[in-house]
Amino acid sequence: MEQLFTFGIVGLSTAAIYAIIGSGLVLTYTTTGVFNFAHGAAGMMAAFAYWQLTEGWGLPVPLALILVLVVLAPAFGLLVERLVLRPIQGLGDAERLVMTVAMLSGLIAAARWIWDPNEARSLPRFFENTDAIDIGPATVTWHQALTMIVAVAVAIGLRILLYGTRIGAEMRASVDDRALVGLTGANPVRSNQVAWILGTQLAAVGGILIAPAVSLDASQLSLLIVSAYTAAIFGRLRSLPLTFLGAVVVGCLESYLTGYLPQNDYLPGLRLAAPALLLFLSLLVFPHRRLRGRDTKARPVPSPSLQGTLLFAGAVVLFGLVLASLLGEGDLITYGQIFSFGVIALSYVPLAGYAGQISLCQLSMAGIGAAVWAHAGADGQLWALPLAVVIAGAAGALIALPALRLSGVYLALGTTAFAVILDRWIFTLPSFEVLGLNISLFDGGTVDVAGPSLFGWRLDDGSELMVFAAVWLALASLAIAVLRRGRFGRQLIALRDSEAAYATLGGNLLLSKVAVFALSAGIAGLGGALYGMQQRSVTAEQFGLVAGLPLFLVAVVGGLTAVGNGLFTGVAVGGSFPVISAAGAFAQNITSVLPALAGLGLARNPDGAVPEIRSGYEPLGRNKPVLGGLVVALAGLWVLQLQDVLDGWLTFGLALFLIVAAQAAATALEQARAARSTDTDVPVEWWGVRREWRREDEEVLARGIAGG
Amino acid sequence: MTPLLELRDVRAAYGKITVLHGVSVSVSAGQVVALLGPNGAGKTTSLNVAAGTHPVQSGQLILGGRDMTGANPRDLARAGICLIPEGRGVFPNLSVRDNLLMMTFTGHSRAEIEAVAFERFPILAKRANQPAGSMSGGEQQMLALARGLATDPAVLLLDELSMGLAPLVVGRLYEQVAEIARQGVGVLVVEQFAAAVLGIADHAAVMVRGRVEREGAPDSELRAELSALYLGSST
């Protein structure tokens, strides 16, 4: 009985923290319409800043609290509102979501950069030396009591602010109709600022209160937010009382699981994954008023030509061959990721790009693929590769069933929960048996991964595996292009544009979603298997939620609807990051922040970088002499490097220079030709056919239409 | 009579497409001006320009003799412009009382606003704590119109007040609009349901393709021209 009380008190104290953090989340969402994935990361930064001020620099606790809660947290909130969220105010839910995911990834990377993760840090509890209070059979520490008092104060304060003041009405009105708020003479920007300041302060309070109970780790602290997400979903992202109730359920569940869960090899992970499981269940159980999201700005999906994609696929294989011939064994392992990451990133294209389903667990699917290949393909049996694809695809189909009820933010949360359940529990399990079938994933540590055997030819050399992965990336890119041009591709785009219209036209939502989730997870599983082969051994951590965020962000920056996105993301994450990291520890830190910075830049180019790069290089594609010259020059460099005349870095630098210079030359030549042309007599209907389409043509036509 | 609100030779565009080609309209105190015309004529854009929610390419926006061209919607609202946009100008998730609270940013007290709104539309008092979005269309328009009554604006801009409402409700709402005008407020109404608004309008302007093609008193000649415009004519 005493134990029951004790765990109850611990649970309520934890619940109070989740309630504080969750209410901040609800506040920003109800006021600004932005679900802040980085809310926990803001709390994490506040906890680190508080540690730095008190433990690092020895400032008194009250002064440190004032500095963090009254100066740093509001300043951070204002900065986020001004620099990150105001530019994307007019964009859709997906873009806003990506921005906060970018912030989450960026803040974790920044904290690891500033505070060395290898150094252990801890924070003392408040009133640590004061005697605990006895309540019946249980005792309550002053830290726990303080936590609960703060939570109650927050609840009352927020209630009064939102429902008893004019600024509260203004904040709630901003979500309904920002334009109308302006028309009433109120200031929607001010209400957003207040929301972000208060939201960040609440995250900071939560971060500082919870930090003494856990180790001060950037990723762990940021992901404590999953429990607060669950609490917020209990409140359907709008009700503060229900959010508090949700926090009590989550806090007590965690506490009692710690106390009463049997100790064996299989269940400790369940306690860690419990909030995520609960989040997943609550997403399914509670009805959502904004279930269908508000994203009405679906962007056009380009339809790649078969000829162009074939050329692209050929170029991918050629690129793999050239790289494989130039790199040493160590570099082959490092840069071999280019193609396997490329395949994993390509899995976002049908799912997020075509069907508009945002998933944050694609790397987890890759982990399943890697684990299946590691065990089933231990001797290189080629049949294990389709098996890896099928099993990852089946896991994807499993997510699709709940996904039928979810979209936008809710789907992103659901897939996050799924990734956390795999991370913290399933991937950490030792071998187990289900219905007589022995299942092994990562065996609680590292698993060795073998290369495949192609009809007796064993691929275990780094260069062979790189070419093998390049061929698969080429094939996967081709398959996605064919899919886009076919019936299923059109169905997915229709589903993205309007689920209701798709269903009323006779489309089967369940079937289409299951199919695209399974397809996408299968592609990710293939990428995971290829990644494992290249790395020779894999651990569960390589496929965690946080590890997958940079890949997702770079894929979004590339443009989720572009078939070339696989190569773009692969080269960016698997190629350019190691290249930059080679310059030292500082550069390594830069690369960890880069995806987040790139994601934050999304507001400038929501269509992605790949379409822009493609249109930038079109003049080079049209100019056969310059293109031919470039190919010959690159081939020359390749030969010189093979002969050891040039060193690797010089070849890389020269190749990069040649490619950029050829593009610039081709563009300049084309512009000069266009300027010289005297084709004023070409009739308007032939513009863009008998002569090049010019930027100013659009305006001329617009004027003509408006005037006519 | 000196106009309260004037659009002088206003040009406005969506991207590169120009939709207003030098529109001039004026509204005096106590006057109801109807802005009529077919779809795509530029009526709503003209209202949005007057409320500051759409930028002006060239031309002037004059309010009470002051050049307010380029002013933002908030400043124009505080200077006396009140736009009731198309499709119910209310906050659906806020209660009726909170919707009325949102009208206090123009400088009026909550008690003052509630007194006027509840006196004019008693049904709103009964629905005071109900979310505005859960009321009927007519009731929502009453709440929106309450802004025009309670905040004492200089000019009321109404966009398609009749949209989705039964003719009987529309008639009652326009009676309230006439009452607001009688109190000295200038009213500029955009309406496709021309018959409803011409009954109370003092002046009408007919827009076609971003230009005011015809304006004057809403007499039988103008009504005939309007019929020809909507239904087509052999002349």
Side-chain angles (χ1 to χ4, degrees), chain A residues 11-75:
Chain A
L12 285 176
S13 164
T14 316
I17 298 172
Y18 293 157
I20 295 167
I21 302 177
S23 57
L25 199 61
V26 170
L27 179 77
T28 43
Y29 184 72
T30 49
T31 310
T32 64
V34 176
F35 186 87
N36 186 8
F37 266 82
H39 191 67
M44 173 273 294
M45 285 302 268
F48 270 98
Y50 177 70
W51 176 89
Q52 186 65 53
L53 293 171
T54 52
E55 304 294 307
W57 294 337
L59 258 61
V61 167
L63 181 62
L65 281 176
I66 291 172
L67 278 175
V68 174
L69 299 179
V70 183
V71 180
L72 293 177

Side-chain angles (χ1 to χ4, degrees), chain A residues 166 172 176 183 185-186 190 702, chain B residues 74 77-78 91-93 98 104:
Chain A
R166 194 169 71 160
R172 287 181 294 128
D176 274 0
L183 291 172
R190 178 183 54 201
Chain B
R74 189 157 52 97
R78 292 184 174 190
F91 300 105
N93 287 304
D98 283 345
T104 59

Side-chain angles (χ1 to χ4, degrees), chain A residues 24 34 115 151 157 228 259 279 293 295 352 363 397 426 554 588 613 707:
Chain A
V34 176
W115 293 282
L279 172 61
D295 193 351
L363 198 62
I426 308 293
V554 175
Q588 206 168 353
I613 294 171

Side-chain angles (χ1 to χ4, degrees), chain B residues 121-193:
Chain B
F121 303 110
I123 188 74
L124 295 182
K126 287 185 190 163
R127 306 260 192 266
N129 296 313
Q130 194 176 319
S134 66
M135 298 196 300
S136 71
E139 287 165 353
Q140 288 185 46
Q141 285 295 35
M142 285 178 199
L143 179 57
L145 262 184
R147 247 172 72 210
L149 281 162
T151 59
D152 196 19
V155 180
L156 181 62
L157 308 174
L158 294 172
D159 193 3
E160 304 282 3
L161 196 64
S162 67
M163 188 188 259
L165 299 179
L168 196 65
V169 179
V170 175
R172 284 187 195 149
L173 287 172
Y174 274 115
E175 281 170 22
Q176 296 294 338
V177 172
E179 178 59 32
I180 293 171
R182 276 195 287 278
Q183 289 168 9
V185 178
V187 183
L188 181 59
V189 191
V190 159
E191 187 59 88
Q192 287 218 43
F193 187 20

Side-chain angles (χ1 to χ4, degrees), chain A residues 422-440:
Chain A
L422 290 177
D423 269 16
R424 292 188 181 171
W425 186 27
I426 308 293
F427 282 174
T428 63
L429 291 173
S431 302
F432 57 97
E433 264 189 27
V434 175
L435 304 172
L437 194 68
N438 187 43
I439 296 176
S440 290

